[in-house]
Amino acid sequence: MTQPVSPPRDSTDKVPPARPPAWRGLLARTDVRTLSLLGVLAVLVVIGGITKPDEFLDTRNLQLVLTQASVIGVVTVGMTFVITSGGIDLSVGAIVALASVWATTVATQEYGFGGILFTAIVVGVGCGLVNGLLIAYGGMVPFIATLAMLASARGLALQITDGRTQIVTVPGVLDLGERDAYVLGIPPLVLVFAVVTVIGWLLLNRTTFGRRTVAVGGNAEAARLAGIDVRRQRLYLYLLSGLCCGIAAFLLIVLSGSGQNTNGNLYELDAIAAAIIGGTLLSGGRGTITGSVLGVLIFTTITDIFALNNLQSDVQQIAKGAIIVAAVLVQRRTASTT
């Protein structure tokens, strides 16, 4: 029995083009966003080089910019995870202050380098644990819970120090801030920041933890129906934020050689701003470690340029505010066209 022969295809019939996968469009938008941030950073470097060529382009100044960016940068990595999940953490600056003063008390310094580092991290993780429990299992709104932690941690830091600066006397800690400790001209604090950034990028982009974080931020109810323990995931995220605050507190101790209750002032605003202009959605569901790091570098470079040119800090804050508004408007425009 002969098989039926299908009619020949008309030459005018056209096969519809294959639709490109969604991840390619996302990758393209990410590349554009990253290139835009790199362009802004390059423009700032040019401005700094033109206005103060000898001071701005000096190796010591560039090392200082990177060192200052390292402290807030580590905090921003943790903040990026929290915002990606749809949360917020207003207490990061106060946690840095509390961890830094607790780690620099006379009793703690008796245990040397390890005691200071251990205490800073434990205090940071402990505060993150309280935030996580209140938000994930206590049902509190992240804004309220972290605002309460901000006030409590600041108050406790003031009580510990009694308003005084606690000077670090441990040689091992102070030596990390000296030029002799630089590795190929790179300050140790910058190396720590680089390691935290790489780990954060891998965690967000190459692990199930990162995918769960994005899922929770995109639609928490859908994530729950998909089998994700949303409450536990949120707890882990605030623990991660607390850990980053503890690491940042230790870096700040190395940088300043002291612990003060005023440490970390407005870090929460700087970290949120850096994450937002980097491309992390404030509503959750999308986050980028690379963009957040570039956001930190942009803000730190702006601060350095203003300082070198003896410009008032209020003008600097206005410039930062304008950048934040522009970044949010770009985000809304991008979201409306996708």
Side-chain angles (χ1 to χ4, degrees), residues 105-129:
T105 60
V106 175
T108 303
Q109 292 194 51
E110 291 180 354
Y111 293 93
F113 183 98
I116 293 177
L117 176 61
F118 177 78
T119 302
I121 291 178
V122 167
V123 172
V125 172
C127 292
L129 176 63

Side-chain angles (χ1 to χ4, degrees), residues 29-45 273-280 288-299 323 327 330:
R29 291 194 297 273
T30 302
D31 289 341
V32 171
R33 199 159 46 239
T34 302
L35 290 175
S36 300
L37 293 172
L38 286 172
V40 172
L41 185 59
V43 170
L44 291 174
V45 171
I276 291 174
I277 72 168
T280 299
T288 163
I289 298 296
T290 303
S292 296
V293 170
L294 290 175
V296 169
L297 293 176
I298 288 173
F299 278 143
I323 292 175
V330 169

Side-chain angles (χ1 to χ4, degrees), residues 41 43 53 58 113 186 206 221 229 232 269 292 323 329:
L41 185 59
V43 170
D58 183 71
F113 183 98
I186 303 176
R206 293 292 184 268
E221 180 61 20
D229 191 332
R232 184 173 61 186
L269 299 183
S292 296
I323 292 175
L329 291 177

Side-chain angles (χ1 to χ4, degrees), residues 93-166:
I95 294 175
V96 169
L98 179 59
S100 68
V101 301
W102 207 323
T104 54
T105 60
V106 175
T108 303
Q109 292 194 51
E110 291 180 354
Y111 293 93
F113 183 98
I116 293 177
L117 176 61
F118 177 78
T119 302
I121 291 178
V122 167
V123 172
V125 172
C127 292
L129 176 63
V130 174
N131 280 337
L133 290 175
L134 290 175
I135 294 168
Y137 294 95
M140 292 187 67
V141 177
F143 182 90
I144 300 300
T146 57
L147 184 62
M149 175 59 72
L150 182 155
S152 301
R154 283 288 179 194
L156 184 55
L158 179 60
Q159 186 178 44
I160 292 174
T161 61
D162 196 21
R164 301 190 186 95
T165 299
Q166 298 177 163

Side-chain angles (χ1 to χ4, degrees), residues 5-326:
V5 179
S6 59
R9 181 186 297 269
D10 189 354
S11 59
T12 59
D13 292 343
K14 295 183 179 180
V15 179
R19 186 177 182 181
W23 62 267
R24 288 188 179 178
L26 178 61
L27 183 61
R29 291 194 297 273
T30 302
D31 289 341
V32 171
R33 199 159 46 239
T34 302
L35 290 175
S36 300
L37 293 172
L38 286 172
V40 172
L41 185 59
V43 170
L44 291 174
V45 171
V46 171
I47 293 174
I50 293 175
T51 56
K52 291 288 183 179
D54 296 333
E55 294 89 343
F56 181 80
L57 297 178
D58 183 71
T59 302
R60 290 177 180 269
N61 181 66
L62 296 178
Q63 290 172 338
L64 177 61
V65 170
L66 291 176
T67 301
Q68 292 175 339
S70 298
V71 180
I72 185 62
V74 171
V75 175
T76 303
V77 170
M79 182 68 78
T80 301
F81 278 90
V82 172
I83 295 179
T84 301
S85 70
I88 199 73
D89 192 348
L90 300 179
S91 64
V92 290
I95 294 175
V96 169
L98 179 59
S100 68
V101 301
W102 207 323
T104 54
T105 60
V106 175
T108 303
Q109 292 194 51
E110 291 180 354
Y111 293 93
F113 183 98
I116 293 177
L117 176 61
F118 177 78
T119 302
I121 291 178
V122 167
V123 172
V125 172
C127 292
L129 176 63
V130 174
N131 280 337
L133 290 175
L134 290 175
I135 294 168
Y137 294 95
M140 292 187 67
V141 177
F143 182 90
I144 300 300
T146 57
L147 184 62
M149 175 59 72
L150 182 155
S152 301
R154 283 288 179 194
L156 184 55
L158 179 60
Q159 186 178 44
I160 292 174
T161 61
D162 196 21
R164 301 190 186 95
T165 299
Q166 298 177 163
I167 304 299
V168 177
T169 59
V170 179
V173 175
L174 298 175
D175 291 343
L176 286 178
E178 300 295 331
R179 296 188 63 83
D180 293 339
Y182 288 13
V183 180
L184 300 177
I186 303 176
L189 275 65
V190 178
L191 295 176
V192 173
F193 176 37
V195 171
V196 171
T197 299
V198 171
I199 293 176
W201 187 90
L202 292 174
L203 195 61
L204 184 60
N205 297 281
R206 293 292 184 268
T207 66
T208 55
F209 180 87
R211 289 192 287 272
R212 289 196 299 267
T213 300
V214 175
V216 170
N219 189 322
E221 180 61 20
R224 186 187 66 81
L225 295 176
I228 296 175
D229 191 332
V230 176
R231 294 190 298 178
R232 184 173 61 186
Q233 183 68 17
R234 285 176 174 161
L235 174 62
Y236 288 162
L237 289 168
Y238 282 95
L239 283 173
L240 178 60
S241 179
L243 173 62
C244 289
C245 289
I247 296 173
F250 180 76
L251 297 183
L252 192 56
I253 292 171
V254 173
L255 183 61
S256 63
S258 64
Q260 304 177 55
N261 65 286
T262 56
N263 282 343
N265 188 34
L266 296 181
Y267 272 19
E268 57 277 356
L269 299 183
D270 288 342
I272 293 171
I276 291 174
I277 72 168
T280 299
L281 282 180
L282 192 57
S283 58
R286 188 183 74 198
T288 163
I289 298 296
T290 303
S292 296
V293 170
L294 290 175
V296 169
L297 293 176
I298 288 173
F299 278 143
T300 309
T301 304
I302 291 175
T303 301
D304 185 64
I305 292 174
F306 273 67
L308 291 177
N309 287 276
N310 297 319
L311 297 176
Q312 296 180 355
S313 60
D314 54 352
V315 181
Q316 173 185 327
Q317 297 303 323
I318 293 173
K320 286 184 177 181
I323 292 175
I324 295 171
V325 171

